[in-house]
Amino acid sequence: MDIRSLGYLRIETTDLAAWRTYVLDILAMVEAQGSTDEQLNVRIDDRVHRFQFVAGTQDRLVAAGFEVPGARELALAASELEAAGHAVKEGDAATLADRRVQGLIHVSDPAGNPLEIYWGQAQDHSPLGTPYGNRFVTGTTSPTTGDLGLGHVVLPAVEIDEALDFYENLLGFQLRDSMQLPPVAVPTGKPGQDAYRMYFLSPNRRHHSLGLYPGALPPGIVHFMVELEQLDDVGYGLDRMKKAGIPIASSLGRHSNDHMVSFYAQAPGGFQVEYGWDGLVVDPATWTAREITSDSLWGHEWNG
């Protein structure tokens, strides 16, 4: 399957006003075309949107959107998924218009996480104009890295082995790293296990576009990460979080696997956002999967 990147996230929220303040004023993103009183579309680069926050009755991930190059690859993806026993639903005209794509299918992974696989998303060629002059790393204009996608997302997967097989052997993601976790770190995992394992995968040169966490989480998302071009912009973002009274889930630190310098903050939906800089870009042809034995090289002191 020829998936190229994590293209967008669609999130339902019980407090759209809180998300509007959070993503525009704190995360320093930009309101995009198609926003209404009931839906906030958000830009971070030349794509028409990378995030959609939709007013609703619960806080949850509605879809993680993964991009393929074109109509032929989407048709092949649908055939491969159906042949493997996964129910596929074609996106209707209203969905295509909302996502600003030319083709789309809906499918769920073995853990029940909702996915959308699509092609042909529209671009917005106007200047981005972020509120603090910050820029996000997506690789869309880079001739060397290619499209790295919006960042990464970590999804819950109690049935972690089935989820890993789905992403690695069906969707074609490359396993980059794994990490063993003690039971105390996975209170909602399968009962009776002495240890759990978390996995990091990607379909492109970003170290990981997807993390699989071996436990359940009600919003259906553990965190998403966006990457900034400058370290100072991460620091400014941390200052804005603190000034706004937003709980900092983890202090600034550098991860051991993707080398990202980042902090984590609570988001309005009951999960977290990672705000980072200097993430590792790898060569898939020479990469060898590893087990990391510590989450971070320094910092990342977790609160609770």
Side-chain angles (χ1 to χ4, degrees):
M1 200 173 299
D2 194 7
I3 291 177
R4 298 294 177 87
S5 68
L6 172 65
Y8 60 74
L9 295 174
R10 184 174 172 85
I11 294 167
E12 181 179 351
T13 174
T14 58
D15 194 344
L16 187 59
W19 268 112
R20 182 179 295 275
T21 299
Y22 192 89
V23 299
L24 302 183
D25 298 343
I26 309 299
L27 297 182
M29 299 177 182
V30 176
E31 186 168 351
Q33 301 172 17
S35 293
T36 67
D37 291 342
E38 299 298 314
Q39 178 168 306
L40 174 65
N41 294 339
V42 178
R43 284 181 67 197
I44 62 173
D45 61 4
D46 58 1
R47 294 301 181 91
V48 71
H49 63 252
R50 289 291 195 176
F51 296 91
Q52 293 182 305
F53 299 92
V54 184
T57 59
Q58 56 184 314
D59 294 296
R60 67 184 179 102
L61 176 70
V62 176
F66 290 102
E67 186 170 48
V68 295
R72 178 178 178 274
E73 290 81 6
L74 183 63
L76 287 172
S79 296
E80 291 174 21
L81 285 162
E82 289 175 333
H86 299 279
V88 172
K89 179 182 177 182
E90 186 174 351
D92 58 23
T95 299
L96 299 187
D98 177 73
R99 311 299 195 268
R100 300 292 304 277
V101 301
Q102 297 182 54
L104 180 149
I105 58 173
H106 303 273
V107 68
S108 294
D109 73 12
N113 296 308
L115 310 179
E116 294 177 354
I117 302 175
Y118 70 92
W119 75 276
Q121 188 181 37
Q123 289 186 303
D124 185 336
H125 299 290
S126 63
L128 184 61
T130 54
Y132 308 106
N134 54 286
R135 297 189 65 84
F136 296 90
V137 176
T138 62
T140 56
T141 60
S142 171
T144 56
T145 65
D147 188 358
L148 299 175
L150 72 83
H152 72 238
V153 64
V154 177
L155 301 178
V158 175
E159 300 296 336
I160 193 79
D161 293 336
E162 290 86 346
L164 177 63
D165 180 68
F166 175 83
Y167 286 102
E168 188 177 17
N169 297 318
L170 185 56
L171 268 60
F173 287 30
Q174 185 181 49
L175 177 63
R176 298 284 161 79
D177 289 314
S178 65
M179 178 172 63
Q180 189 166 291
L181 301 175
V184 68
V186 194
T188 56
K190 274 187 175 181
Q193 292 191 203
D194 295 329
Y196 298 85
R197 192 169 292 276
M198 185 171 179
Y199 295 98
F200 304 89
L201 308 97
S202 186
N204 57 48
R205 296 187 65 188
R206 188 185 288 280
H207 175 273
H208 62 277
S209 302
L210 173 70
L212 294 174
Y213 170 77
L217 201 66
I221 177 174
V222 180
H223 75 259
F224 68 76
M225 183 283 299
V226 289
E227 184 178 359
L228 283 298
E229 285 189 356
Q230 303 293 329
L231 176 60
D232 283 348
D233 288 323
V234 175
Y236 295 142
L238 181 56
D239 285 349
R240 291 193 297 271
M241 290 281 184
K242 292 178 176 179
K243 185 176 181 180
I246 295 169
I248 303 302
S250 173
S251 65
L252 194 70
R254 185 184 285 272
H255 280 304
S256 59
N257 58 356
D258 67 353
H259 300 175
M260 187 78 68
V261 176
S262 65
F263 69 90
Y264 292 73
Q266 296 294 343
F271 55 93
Q272 296 169 356
V273 169
E274 182 182 6
Y275 210 58
W277 167 78
D278 197 31
L280 185 63
V281 176
V282 311
D283 180 356
T286 59
W287 185 263
T288 300
R290 311 165 302 179
E291 178 183 10
I292 58 172
T293 56
S294 175
D295 179 48
S296 299
L297 300 174
W298 56 266
H300 284 143
E301 296 177 357
W302 290 91
N303 299 318

